């Protein structure tokens, strides 16, 4: 009997002691980082947008935000990891919420039962080819539009007859559809050109190419910042950064150190300073290592935005952005690391030498202690 009593006492007391002693670093109350960052991703996009994602963390919270909380149901979240599956392509080909079907020219018959699973890329022309013509060729079932399959003996397969692509641009149409403001009309390229330096294209890349060819700029197209650069398909020279997303635009991005895309300071400032939510971090919530890493990476976004504002002669606005960054992510909640370097650099460039020097000393001290 005493043994049973000891066991029962242990079952009651040990969890209680563990909860008491470890509550401070296990308490998730008030933490809404996943939901709020999903909100931020969705609200980085214009109305009726297509938002390309790739992983779990940049997809599932967005689905929750739309399905459960009804946030930005006009946007179609399209996960590239699933876009290799015909059932998912079929799903993307149907209306969901307020979002119309994705603009595919390839139909169910083109892609089901393993059709066009992975296509050889054979450069027949040695120069950029109209992407609309490429997609029309890929859709053909004529034997003349096929080659011997490198994967199955005695079988023909469709292929992509180019590795370089182009898309003609009508500047007036781009402005009329609100893709680019009239202020930037002079920067709209008459023709987008890009290349894919690879020998095969899987179905997700093919369907994305189809969207670029078929969309006709009727819907804004975005990539989540967390998508691997290999899934940009070399379109990043036409990216602009609006917050947590890159929008595809027919304007060549200016070089920005080693970053992709070009910051749209007006849109990004409004998003990050006025619209975005931060999951309760401003209330001193507990952050685990995943949340710390996530918010650390967001520091560089504040630094990029500040850099762009400084370049445009808006140092006061840049300092507002940098101060907001430190306010949201103080050292005692999000420890200093290399993601502070863009922030420090921007403080120097904005003329806040004393603040920048203080941050350098704090960062150096932390690195020394580690």
């Amino acid at each position: 009997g005493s043994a049973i009593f000891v066991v029962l006492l242990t079952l009651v007391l040990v969890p209680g002691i563990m909860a008491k002693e470890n509550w401070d670093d296990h308490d998730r109350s008030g933490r809404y980082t996943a939901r709020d960052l999903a909100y931020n991703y969705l609200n980085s996009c214009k109305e009726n947008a297509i938002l390309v994602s790739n992983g779990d963390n940049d997809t599932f919270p967005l689905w929750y935000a739309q399905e459960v909380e009804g946030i930005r149901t006009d946007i179609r979240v399209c996960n590239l990891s699933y876009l290799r599956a015909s059932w998912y392509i079929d799903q993307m080909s149907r209306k969901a919420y307020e979002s119309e079907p994705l603009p595919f020219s390839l139909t169910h018959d083109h892609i089901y039962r393993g059709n066009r699973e992975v296509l050889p890329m054979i450069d027949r022309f040695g120069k950029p080819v109209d992407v609309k013509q490429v997609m029309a060729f890929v859709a053909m079932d004529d034997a003349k539009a096929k080659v011997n399959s490198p994967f199955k003996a005695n079988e023909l397969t469709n292929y992509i007859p180019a590795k370089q692509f182009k898309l003609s641009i009508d500047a007036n149409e781009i402005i009329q559809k609100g893709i680019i403001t009239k202020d930037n009309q002079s920067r709209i390229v008459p023709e987008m050109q890009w290349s894919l330096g690879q020998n095969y294209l899987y179905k997700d890349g093919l369907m994305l190419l189809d969207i670029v060819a078929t969309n006709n700029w009727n819907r804004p197209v975005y990539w989540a910042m967390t998508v691997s650069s290999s899934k940009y398909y070399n379109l990043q020279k036409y990216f602009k950064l609006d917050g947590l997303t890159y929008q595809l635009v027919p304007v060549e991005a200016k070089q920005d150190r080693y970053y992709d895309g070009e910051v749209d300071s007006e849109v990004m400032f409004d998003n990050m300073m006025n619209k975005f939510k931060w999951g309760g971090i401003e209330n001193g919530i507990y952050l685990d290592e995943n949340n710390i890493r996530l918010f650390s990476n967001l520091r560089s976004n504040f630094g990029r935005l500040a850099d762009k504002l400084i370049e445009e002669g808006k140092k006061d606005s840049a300092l507002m952005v940098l101060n907001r960054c430190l306010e949201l992510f103080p050292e005692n909640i999000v420890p200093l690391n290399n993601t502070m370097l863009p922030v420090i650099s921007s403080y120097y460039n904005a003329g806040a030498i004393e603040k920048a020097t203080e941050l350098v000393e704090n960062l150096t001290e932390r690195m020394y202690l580690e």
Side-chain angles (χ1 to χ4, degrees), residues 11 18 34 88 90 105 140 168 198 229 342 358:
L11 291 173
M18 290 177 66
Y88 187 70
D90 285 344
S105 64
M140 292 173 63
S168 296
Q198 54 197 62
S229 59
E358 177 191 339

Side-chain angles (χ1 to χ4, degrees), residues 100-147:
E100 295 298 323
L102 291 191
F104 294 136
S105 64
L106 297 178
T107 66
H108 172 82
D109 290 340
H110 289 123
I111 53 89
Y112 83 119
R113 290 184 182 174
N115 287 341
R116 297 170 176 82
E117 212 53 66
V118 50
L119 300 187
M121 299 187 71
I122 304 172
D123 195 351
R124 297 292 196 198
F125 303 96
K127 62 181 182 179
V129 179
D130 189 316
V131 68
K132 294 176 182 290
Q133 294 179 0
V134 169
M135 290 310 305
F137 182 85
V138 169
M140 292 173 63
D141 285 320
D142 193 312
K144 295 178 181 178
K146 298 183 179 183
V147 294

Side-chain angles (χ1 to χ4, degrees), residues 162-180:
K163 292 187 178 181
Q164 303 173 69
F165 307 99
K166 64 182 181 180
L167 182 65
S168 296
I169 303 299
D170 181 336
N172 291 327
E173 179 186 27
I174 295 300
I175 294 167
Q176 182 182 359
K177 292 180 176 178
I179 302 297
I180 290 293

Side-chain angles (χ1 to χ4, degrees), residues 331-347:
E331 181 182 356
N332 63 317
I333 295 179
V334 183
L336 299 182
N337 56 27
N338 63 333
T339 62
M340 280 299 297
L341 296 178
V343 175
I344 292 170
S345 172
S346 294
Y347 266 122

Side-chain angles (χ1 to χ4, degrees), residues 306 314-324 346-347 350-352:
K314 303 171 183 174
K315 290 188 177 181
D316 289 345
S317 295
L319 288 171
M320 287 173 61
V321 167
L322 296 170
N323 292 339
R324 179 62 172 156
S346 294
Y347 266 122

